[in-house]
Amino acid sequence: MSTIKKAALVALATGLGIGALGACSDSGSGSSGSDSKTVTLVSHDSFAASASVLKAFEKTSGYRVKVLKDGDAGEAVNKAILTKDNPQGDVFFGVDNTLLSRALDNHLFEPYQAAGLNQVRPESLPGHDHAVTPIDTGEICVNYDKAYFTSHHVKPPATFADLTEPAYRNLLVTENASTSSPGLGFLLGSAARYGGKGWPAYWTKLKGNGVKVVDTWEQAYNEEFSGSAGGKKAGGDRPLVVSYASSPPAEAIYAHPQPRTAPTGVATGTCFRQIEYAGLLAHAKNPKGGKALIDFLISTRFQDDMPLNMFVDPVNEKAQAPADYRKYAVRVATPQTMPPDEIAQHRDEWVRTWTSLVLK
Amino acid sequence: MVLPVAFFAVFFAYPLVEIVARGLRDGGAWHAGRIGEVLTGPGTGHVLWFTVWQALASTALTLVLALPGAYAFARLDFPGKRLLRAVVTVPFVLPTVVAGSAFLALLGRGGLLDQLWGVRLDTTVWAILLAHVFFNYAVVVRTVGGLWGQLDPRQEEAARVLGASRAAAWRTVTLPALAPAVAAAGLIVFLFTFTSFGIVQILGGPTFSTIEVEIYRQTAELFDLPAAAVLTLLQLVAVGAILAVHAVTVRRRERALHLVDAAGTAQRPRGAAQWALLGGVLATVGLLLLLPLGVLVERSLHTAGGYGLAYYRALASADSGAFLVPPIDAVANSLEYALAATAIALVIGGLAAAALSRRAGALLRGFDALLMLPLGVSAVTVGFGFLITLDRPPLDLRSSWILVPLAQALVGAPFVVRTMLPVLRAVDDRLRQAAAVLGASPLRVWREVDLPMVRRALLTAAGFAFAVSLGEFGATVFIARPDQPTLPVAVARLLGRAGDLNYGQAMALSVVLMVVCALALLLLERVRTDHTGEF
């Protein structure tokens, strides 16, 4: 079949679909993302911002902003890499320190030194030549069900070491480190705490103490964990779960009526810090708009709004999280951290070791 | 014929080939070595073995439990039948996360079985098998039952009059007529369970893994495209082999049937056996299908302050931050996408079925099998393929809304072909010849002879295509635009956030999805009974 004929047939096939749909179609298709008045932000499913804040950007910058959510964090990064020669947008937000090297190795970003970078907490800067800009931080930590520990007269665990104690036997549920980012974060936290040589021994003890592994965060948190709203309904019976330091505020804020304190707590000695970055996509169609958008993402206007929308902490020192968030938020003084380079070097090997150690 | 071929070439084969090639080729050099490496890797054999045997077991169990259902829905009249037939299709559209969670409530800790007998089936293979029955019950009831209702009962009665026993009459008259439909249903169930993803992930825990789960892991999480490409090829070969076997066995059995109006074949149950059968079917449906659905409804109403509609009310507001639009808008999005996808699937699948029923030949038979392949290829592979192929002129569809219905139609079209083909082949060709002899054009022959016969099948197929599109998640989540989430995508996003209100809204939205699906199918049932007087 000749190419022209083929193209005509495709047009016909597509046309049939459109024709059959008739009135349902809308006009926002095709090339609307490529004109210079629109700037497109590609992100993961957890991206959220108040409509008023996005409007504020549109008003001051003159650009219309379009948001493209592209699956969970890992998926979104992979898709951005696959499409890097003809990117879906101008800015990518949501690559974290566990995946940053994959993006950098694939030359996903065009370096840009954002205006306002001097207000960003220095500890969150990635140490690269401004290929990416830090936007938020958050901790992956063990959460506990306060009611369980009160009624059983047991102190909730606080550190990695506590989790291997007999008092916490068969209480912890975590996620598969090879399919879930909190699962991976918890593994990296233990590696940061016990070192690249020491963490397997720690996990052997954890396994001996009855840790349960499920595939996804949704499963662990909404089904197995006894402290979450979903887990209570589903009859979850594990009072310890690997989640985020911001999960207790979310439990409290989305409860009706709002309780005085959150029903869940955080074992602050089990935390691993995630830093999320944004970068200007190489081959972006609107790099000027993209730069303006990155500047906006670290401005106090956006950073103030972020905690209640994405349940993460601002990187801008001047940003002030909303009162609701501060009321329930847990401060993690000394989370475990690991440079992106070290993560890149060991991630796959550690996940393989972890899989054969814990799952087999 | 040309249109369906072109459709599959451009929207299925091309993206698939590109993404697999991307995985196996690096800087111009082919990575043939990776193929052997992955195939002989320690995990691969294990995964392949589990994939095959759980799919065989699931298919067998589904057929055993659902064939009596197909009979009951086709041949027996009972109050609420139409509603029940729509409801049993609902599991089919539920996001697996949601259905899996409902299923856990029955089989897991503190579940019904646990309370009654202290039996817990979560993280055992039984949970996976039963959940597969839950999902695929409707496939058998609808494909087999659809044809069963149209078989002329007088043929079996004639055999009885001529002295055959009830069993012999059934074996020699009804069974051969039904065989192609049973085979088709079994094949679809097999393909769905062979490529099972969400159910295996949720109910099996991280210890059980199908090839599909491995492909997802390698593609979306580890970004090991070469490994994913090899596994995709492996799955493709396996599915291709199954389809080839199927094509050979089915062709031997198909023959012209005498089809009648289904409304006349069903009657009130008579005798103890029929009542017992109906009772058994209703009990199965109640325990295996309605109970899990009931659990979801209960959860959606169970708010912190007692039972109420608070979660449903919250669906109408955009405050929660998870979306830029109120979650309830997803209903309209889902319906629009599903309508478009159904239309495309009907056109493409209908044309293909018509072409296949008329002519035979090695080429066409090959195409017949090819049409089924989209059911056996992982959604994540097709999704990634779409991303890297349909992104430049003349086919710059990447940010276009039509991409979603196109991807959904790929999965819907095989259903259309499978449901219509047995009926089309069963049409006595002499009717067409007679019409042609009397001067009718080919188009007129199709309209006057084929169409009235296949109208029921067409509507059954439309129902399937619609349900598939409504529930499709894997490909949609890849390409749906963020400001236009479909119902399953919206449910998944709500479940991804902590907090009572988000969980409650996810449950409420799942119930909305159930109701939308049931209503749409009821409507289709209405349409098809309006026309029964025509033949």
Coordinates of all heavy atoms in Angstrom, one line a residue, chain B residues 66 69-70 73 82-90 92 136-148 181 185 419 456 459-464 467 517-518 520-522 524-525 528:
Chain B
A66 N -19.8 -20.0 35.0 CA -20.6 -19.1 34.2 C -21.5 -19.7 33.1 O -22.5 -19.2 32.7 CB -19.7 -18.0 33.6
G69 N -24.9 -20.0 34.2 CA -25.5 -18.7 34.1 C -25.9 -18.3 32.7 O -27.0 -17.7 32.5
A70 N -25.0 -18.6 31.7 CA -25.4 -18.3 30.4 C -26.7 -19.0 30.0 O -27.6 -18.4 29.3 CB -24.3 -18.8 29.4
F73 N -29.7 -17.2 31.8 CA -30.0 -15.9 31.3 C -30.6 -16.0 29.9 O -31.4 -15.2 29.5 CB -28.8 -15.0 31.3 CG -28.5 -14.4 32.6 CD1 -27.4 -14.8 33.4 CD2 -29.3 -13.3 33.1 CE1 -27.1 -14.2 34.6 CE2 -29.0 -12.7 34.3 CZ -28.0 -13.2 35.1
R82 N -33.4 -8.8 33.5 CA -32.7 -7.8 32.7 C -31.7 -6.9 33.5 O -30.6 -6.7 33.1 CB -33.7 -6.9 32.0 CG -33.2 -6.4 30.7 CD -34.2 -5.5 30.0 NE -35.4 -6.2 29.4 CZ -36.5 -5.6 29.0 NH1 -36.6 -4.3 29.1 NH2 -37.4 -6.3 28.5
L83 N -32.2 -6.5 34.7 CA -31.4 -5.7 35.6 C -30.1 -6.5 36.0 O -29.0 -6.1 36.0 CB -32.2 -5.3 36.8 CG -31.4 -4.5 37.9 CD1 -31.1 -3.1 37.3 CD2 -32.2 -4.3 39.1
L84 N -30.4 -7.8 36.3 CA -29.3 -8.7 36.8 C -28.2 -8.8 35.7 O -27.0 -8.8 36.0 CB -29.8 -10.0 37.2 CG -29.0 -10.8 38.2 CD1 -28.7 -10.0 39.5 CD2 -29.6 -12.1 38.6
R85 N -28.7 -9.0 34.5 CA -27.8 -9.2 33.4 C -26.9 -7.9 33.2 O -25.7 -8.0 32.9 CB -28.5 -9.5 32.1 CG -27.5 -9.7 31.0 CD -28.0 -10.4 29.7 NE -29.3 -10.1 29.4 CZ -30.1 -10.9 28.6 NH1 -29.6 -12.0 28.1 NH2 -31.3 -10.5 28.3
A86 N -27.5 -6.8 33.4 CA -26.7 -5.5 33.3 C -25.7 -5.5 34.5 O -24.6 -5.1 34.3 CB -27.6 -4.3 33.3
V87 N -26.2 -5.9 35.7 CA -25.3 -5.8 36.9 C -24.1 -6.7 36.8 O -23.1 -6.4 37.2 CB -26.2 -6.0 38.2 CG1 -25.3 -6.1 39.4 CG2 -27.2 -4.9 38.4
V88 N -24.3 -7.9 36.3 CA -23.2 -8.9 36.3 C -22.1 -8.4 35.3 O -21.0 -8.8 35.4 CB -23.6 -10.3 35.9 CG1 -24.6 -10.9 36.8 CG2 -24.0 -10.4 34.4
T89 N -22.4 -7.4 34.5 CA -21.4 -6.9 33.6 C -20.6 -5.8 34.3 O -19.5 -5.4 33.8 CB -22.0 -6.3 32.3 OG1 -22.9 -7.3 31.8 CG2 -20.9 -6.1 31.2
V90 N -21.1 -5.3 35.4 CA -20.4 -4.2 36.1 C -19.0 -4.5 36.5 O -18.1 -3.6 36.4 CB -21.3 -3.7 37.3 CG1 -20.5 -2.8 38.2 CG2 -22.5 -2.9 36.8
F92 N -16.8 -6.0 35.2 CA -16.0 -5.8 34.0 C -15.4 -4.4 33.9 O -14.3 -4.2 33.3 CB -16.9 -6.2 32.9 CG -16.2 -6.6 31.7 CD1 -15.5 -7.8 31.6 CD2 -16.1 -5.7 30.6 CE1 -14.8 -8.2 30.5 CE2 -15.5 -6.1 29.4 CZ -14.8 -7.3 29.4
N136 N -14.8 -11.8 34.8 CA -15.1 -12.4 33.4 C -16.4 -13.1 33.3 O -16.7 -13.6 32.2 CB -13.9 -13.3 33.0 CG -12.6 -12.4 32.8 OD1 -12.6 -11.4 32.2 ND2 -11.6 -12.9 33.5
Y137 N -17.1 -13.2 34.4 CA -18.4 -13.9 34.4 C -19.3 -13.4 33.2 O -19.8 -14.2 32.4 CB -19.1 -13.7 35.7 CG -20.4 -14.5 35.9 CD1 -20.2 -15.7 36.5 CD2 -21.6 -14.1 35.6 CE1 -21.4 -16.5 36.8 CE2 -22.8 -14.8 35.8 CZ -22.6 -16.1 36.4 OH -23.7 -16.8 36.7
A138 N -19.3 -12.1 33.0 CA -20.2 -11.5 32.0 C -19.7 -11.9 30.6 O -20.5 -11.9 29.7 CB -20.2 -10.0 32.2
V139 N -18.4 -12.1 30.4 CA -17.9 -12.4 29.1 C -18.6 -13.7 28.6 O -19.2 -13.8 27.5 CB -16.4 -12.6 29.1 CG1 -15.9 -13.1 27.7 CG2 -15.7 -11.4 29.5
V140 N -18.7 -14.7 29.5 CA -19.3 -16.0 29.1 C -20.9 -15.8 29.0 O -21.5 -16.2 28.0 CB -19.0 -17.1 30.1 CG1 -19.7 -18.4 29.8 CG2 -17.5 -17.2 30.2
V141 N -21.4 -15.2 30.0 CA -22.9 -15.0 30.0 C -23.3 -14.3 28.7 O -24.3 -14.6 28.1 CB -23.4 -14.3 31.2 CG1 -24.8 -13.8 31.1 CG2 -23.2 -15.1 32.4
R142 N -22.6 -13.2 28.3 CA -23.0 -12.4 27.2 C -22.7 -13.1 25.8 O -23.5 -13.1 25.0 CB -22.4 -11.0 27.3 CG -23.0 -10.3 28.4 CD -22.7 -8.8 28.4 NE -23.7 -8.1 29.3 CZ -24.6 -7.3 28.8 NH1 -24.7 -7.1 27.5 NH2 -25.5 -6.8 29.6
T143 N -21.5 -13.6 25.7 CA -21.2 -14.2 24.4 C -21.9 -15.5 24.1 O -22.5 -15.7 23.1 CB -19.6 -14.5 24.2 OG1 -19.0 -14.5 25.4 CG2 -19.0 -13.4 23.3
V144 N -21.8 -16.4 25.1 CA -22.5 -17.7 24.9 C -24.0 -17.5 25.0 O -24.8 -18.0 24.2 CB -22.0 -18.7 26.0 CG1 -22.7 -20.1 25.8 CG2 -20.5 -18.9 25.8
G145 N -24.4 -16.8 26.1 CA -25.9 -16.6 26.3 C -26.5 -15.9 25.1 O -27.7 -16.3 24.7
G146 N -25.8 -15.0 24.5 CA -26.4 -14.3 23.4 C -26.8 -15.2 22.2 O -27.8 -15.1 21.6
L147 N -25.9 -16.2 22.0 CA -26.2 -17.1 20.9 C -27.2 -18.2 21.3 O -28.1 -18.5 20.6 CB -24.9 -17.8 20.4 CG -25.0 -18.8 19.3 CD1 -25.3 -18.0 18.0 CD2 -23.7 -19.5 19.0
W148 N -27.0 -18.6 22.6 CA -27.9 -19.7 23.1 C -29.4 -19.2 23.0 O -30.3 -20.0 22.6 CB -27.5 -19.9 24.6 CG -27.8 -21.3 25.0 CD1 -28.8 -22.2 24.6 CD2 -27.1 -22.0 26.0 NE1 -28.7 -23.4 25.2 CE2 -27.7 -23.3 26.1 CE3 -26.0 -21.7 26.8 CZ2 -27.2 -24.3 27.0 CZ3 -25.6 -22.7 27.7 CH2 -26.2 -24.0 27.8
A181 N -19.1 -20.3 20.1 CA -19.3 -19.2 21.1 C -18.6 -19.5 22.4 O -18.0 -18.6 23.0 CB -20.8 -19.0 21.3
A185 N -15.6 -17.3 24.0 CA -15.7 -16.8 25.3 C -14.5 -17.2 26.1 O -13.8 -16.5 26.8 CB -17.0 -17.2 26.0
T419 N -17.9 -11.4 18.8 CA -19.4 -11.6 19.1 C -20.1 -11.7 17.8 O -21.1 -12.5 17.7 CB -19.9 -10.4 19.9 OG1 -18.9 -9.8 20.7 CG2 -21.1 -10.8 20.7
R456 N -28.9 -8.3 17.0 CA -28.7 -8.6 18.5 C -27.2 -8.7 18.8 O -26.7 -8.1 19.8 CB -29.3 -10.0 18.8 CG -30.8 -9.9 19.1 CD -31.3 -11.3 19.4 NE -30.7 -11.7 20.7 CZ -31.2 -11.5 21.9 NH1 -32.2 -10.7 22.0 NH2 -30.6 -11.9 23.0
L459 N -25.6 -5.4 19.0 CA -25.9 -4.6 20.3 C -25.1 -5.2 21.4 O -24.6 -4.5 22.3 CB -27.4 -4.6 20.5 CG -28.1 -3.6 19.6 CD1 -29.6 -3.9 19.6 CD2 -27.8 -2.2 19.9
T460 N -25.0 -6.6 21.4 CA -24.2 -7.2 22.5 C -22.8 -6.7 22.4 O -22.1 -6.3 23.3 CB -24.2 -8.7 22.3 OG1 -25.5 -9.2 22.3 CG2 -23.4 -9.4 23.4
A461 N -22.3 -6.7 21.1 CA -20.9 -6.2 20.9 C -20.8 -4.7 21.3 O -19.8 -4.4 21.9 CB -20.6 -6.4 19.4
A462 N -21.7 -3.9 21.0 CA -21.7 -2.5 21.4 C -21.6 -2.4 22.9 O -20.8 -1.6 23.4 CB -22.9 -1.8 20.8
G463 N -22.4 -3.2 23.6 CA -22.4 -3.2 25.0 C -21.0 -3.5 25.6 O -20.5 -2.9 26.5
F464 N -20.4 -4.5 25.0 CA -19.0 -4.9 25.4 C -18.0 -3.8 25.1 O -17.3 -3.4 26.0 CB -18.6 -6.1 24.6 CG -18.7 -7.4 25.4 CD1 -19.3 -8.5 24.9 CD2 -18.1 -7.4 26.7 CE1 -19.5 -9.6 25.7 CE2 -18.3 -8.6 27.5 CZ -18.9 -9.7 26.9
A467 N -18.5 -1.1 27.6 CA -18.1 -1.4 28.9 C -16.6 -1.4 29.0 O -16.0 -0.9 30.0 CB -18.6 -2.8 29.3
C517 N -22.4 2.4 34.2 CA -22.3 1.2 33.4 C -23.6 0.4 33.3 O -24.0 0.0 32.2 CB -21.2 0.3 33.9 SG -21.0 -1.2 33.1
A518 N -24.2 0.1 34.5 CA -25.4 -0.7 34.5 C -26.5 0.0 33.7 O -27.2 -0.6 33.0 CB -25.8 -0.9 36.0
A520 N -26.2 2.2 31.3 CA -25.9 2.2 29.8 C -26.2 0.8 29.2 O -26.8 0.7 28.2 CB -24.4 2.5 29.6
L521 N -25.9 -0.3 30.0 CA -26.2 -1.6 29.5 C -27.7 -1.9 29.5 O -28.2 -2.5 28.6 CB -25.5 -2.7 30.3 CG -23.9 -2.6 30.1 CD1 -23.3 -3.5 31.1 CD2 -23.6 -3.0 28.7
L522 N -28.4 -1.4 30.5 CA -29.9 -1.6 30.5 C -30.5 -0.9 29.3 O -31.4 -1.4 28.7 CB -30.4 -0.9 31.8 CG -30.5 -1.8 33.0 CD1 -31.1 -1.1 34.2 CD2 -31.5 -3.0 32.7
L524 N -29.1 -0.4 26.4 CA -28.8 -1.2 25.2 C -29.8 -2.4 25.2 O -30.3 -2.8 24.1 CB -27.4 -1.7 25.3 CG -26.4 -0.8 24.7 CD1 -25.0 -1.3 25.0 CD2 -26.6 -0.7 23.2
E525 N -30.1 -3.0 26.4 CA -31.0 -4.1 26.4 C -32.4 -3.7 25.9 O -33.1 -4.4 25.2 CB -31.1 -4.7 27.8 CG -29.8 -5.1 28.3 CD -29.8 -6.6 28.6 OE1 -30.8 -7.2 29.0 OE2 -28.7 -7.2 28.4
R528 N -32.5 -3.3 22.2 CA -32.5 -4.5 21.4 C -33.8 -5.3 21.5 O -34.2 -6.0 20.6 CB -31.3 -5.4 21.7 CG -31.4 -6.3 22.9 CD -30.2 -7.1 23.0 NE -30.3 -8.1 24.0 CZ -29.2 -8.9 24.4 NH1 -28.1 -8.7 23.8 NH2 -29.4 -9.8 25.3

